């Protein structure tokens, strides 16, 4: 069980969340698979190939069920003053918002943050018959109306 405070916890979200006590943390930030049904590969500076598989056997319902379980665990481990930030894209963001509304309550939806990708491009150059997909979304929820908010200021 994870009980040490003031730390960032990284790992498989569902398995890691199961190890955290109820109402123990202040903030959940999730950057889960986006249901893109692709395999991503990058090559590190030392030549090692890092791979990430985002295929779900083309079964969207299993993806949403998995995410629902993860988001339910996030709700369980958040303190009453806690917040959740879920990073997602156009593949499933609307469906995940509906699940978050069910789990956290619509009144605890705080904001949809639009994050424009720095390397955004127009997909029509690659033959797409749609406008360019140039942003991701971060859905911001709190567990209650008494959530922690630390405003940031810049000169």
């Amino acid at each position: 069980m994870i009980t040490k405070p003031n730390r960032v916890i990284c790992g498989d979200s569902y398995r890691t969340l199961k190890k955290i006590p109820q109402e123990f943390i202040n903030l959940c930030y999730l950057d889960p698979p986006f249901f893109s049904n692709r395999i991503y590969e990058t090559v590190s500076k030392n030549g090692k190939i890092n791979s990430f598989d985002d295929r779900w056997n083309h079964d969207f319902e299993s993806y949403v069920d998995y995410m629902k379980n993860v988001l339910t665990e996030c709700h369980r481990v958040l303190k009453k003053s806690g917040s959740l930030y879920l990073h997602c894209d156009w593949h499933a963001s609307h469906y995940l918002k509906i699940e978050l509304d069910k789990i956290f309550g619509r009144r605890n939806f705080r904001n949809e943050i639009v994050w424009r990708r720095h390397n955004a491009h127009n997909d029509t150059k690659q033959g797409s018959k749609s406008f360019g997909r140039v942003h991701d979304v971060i859905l911001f929820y709190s567990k209650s109306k008494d959530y922690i908010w630390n405003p940031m200021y810049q000169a």
Side-chain angles (χ1 to χ4, degrees):
M1 182 175 290
I2 298 170
T3 58
K4 187 177 177 184
N6 299 320
R7 63 189 250 185
V8 174
I9 303 167
C10 299
D12 176 87
S13 53
Y14 186 71
R15 282 184 266 168
T16 303
L17 285 162
K18 287 296 232 182
K19 298 175 185 175
I20 300 174
Q22 187 167 327
E23 296 189 3
F24 185 73
I25 62 174
N26 293 310
L27 181 121
C28 275
Y29 176 84
L30 294 172
D31 188 359
F34 287 178
F35 195 78
S36 63
N37 281 317
R38 291 177 50 197
I39 297 175
Y40 298 93
E41 290 185 345
T42 61
V43 180
S44 64
K45 290 179 182 177
N46 64 3
K48 181 182 175 190
I49 296 175
N50 298 305
S51 180
F52 174 77
D53 190 345
D54 188 19
R55 294 176 298 170
W56 292 83
N57 298 323
H58 303 287
D59 182 356
F60 187 71
E61 287 73 27
S62 68
Y63 173 77
V64 173
D65 284 344
Y66 171 79
M67 288 303 300
K68 186 174 11 177
N69 290 334
V70 170
L71 297 170
T72 299
E73 282 299 306
C74 286
H75 187 267
R76 181 187 67 78
V77 302
L78 279 174
K79 294 178 181 179
K80 297 279 187 221
S81 58
S83 298
L84 171 117
Y85 294 82
L86 174 63
H87 184 172
C88 45
D89 74 356
W90 65 273
H91 289 97
S93 62
H94 301 84
Y95 302 95
L96 296 177
K97 184 180 183 317
I98 290 169
E99 296 304 325
L100 283 163
D101 283 348
K102 291 177 190 175
I103 296 165
F104 281 79
R106 280 188 7 233
R107 288 191 173 115
N108 290 321
F109 171 66
R110 300 295 165 210
N111 205 348
E112 177 182 45
I113 303 159
V114 175
W115 177 54
R116 185 172 184 268
R117 291 190 214 115
H118 68 86
N119 62 345
H121 59 275
N122 189 332
D123 296 334
T124 56
K125 287 182 182 177
Q126 286 77 38
S128 176
K129 293 183 177 182
S130 68
F131 294 103
R133 296 181 178 109
V134 297
H135 76 278
D136 290 344
V137 169
I138 300 172
L139 300 172
F140 169 29
Y141 280 79
S142 65
K143 191 164 183 179
S144 73
K145 65 179 177 57
D146 300 318
Y147 61 100
I148 296 170
W149 177 255
N150 297 313
M152 295 181 290
Y153 299 98
Q154 185 174 354

